Amino acid sequence: QAHIAEAGMLVVAVAESTDIRPMIETARTLSSQIPIIVRAPNAEEAQLLADSGATRVVHPKQALADAIVRELTARLGAHSRLAGT
């Protein structure tokens, strides 16, 4: 019922990752170019979902690590600008 053939993007954030692979396969059948962003419970499952055709896979530990790196980079960049380096 998601009207994948007309959709611009598919975002899947369900608790059970076993439900996601069939969704990816169906979406790819209906629209081979649709960006598919999914949530995975861990790095292993993230790799499996990426291998299944997801465009971008996010899992909590990686999302947290990415947020920390962005914050550190922003603060270090601001510190460097203030210090003139």
Side-chain angles (χ1 to χ4, degrees), residues 1-84:
Q1 299 297 334
H3 302 283
I4 298 298
E6 295 87 33
M9 181 182 306
L10 174 63
V11 177
V12 182
V14 297
E16 284 296 320
S17 60
T18 55
D19 299 336
I20 300 173
R21 279 190 221 106
M23 291 179 199
I24 293 171
E25 292 170 9
T26 300
R28 286 284 170 237
T29 299
L30 296 171
S31 178
S32 63
Q33 299 302 311
I34 189 170
I36 302 173
I37 301 153
V38 299
R39 175 198 176 276
N42 55 54
E44 285 180 10
E45 191 64 25
Q47 187 60 55
L48 291 172
L49 293 169
D51 293 346
S52 294
T55 307
R56 173 85 163 99
V57 183
V58 179
H59 65 87
K61 288 182 181 179
Q62 185 62 49
L64 176 59
D66 291 346
I68 290 170
V69 168
R70 280 193 306 273
E71 184 66 23
L72 287 169
T73 302
R75 290 185 180 272
L76 289 172
H79 178 73
S80 294
R81 288 189 298 277
L82 291 174

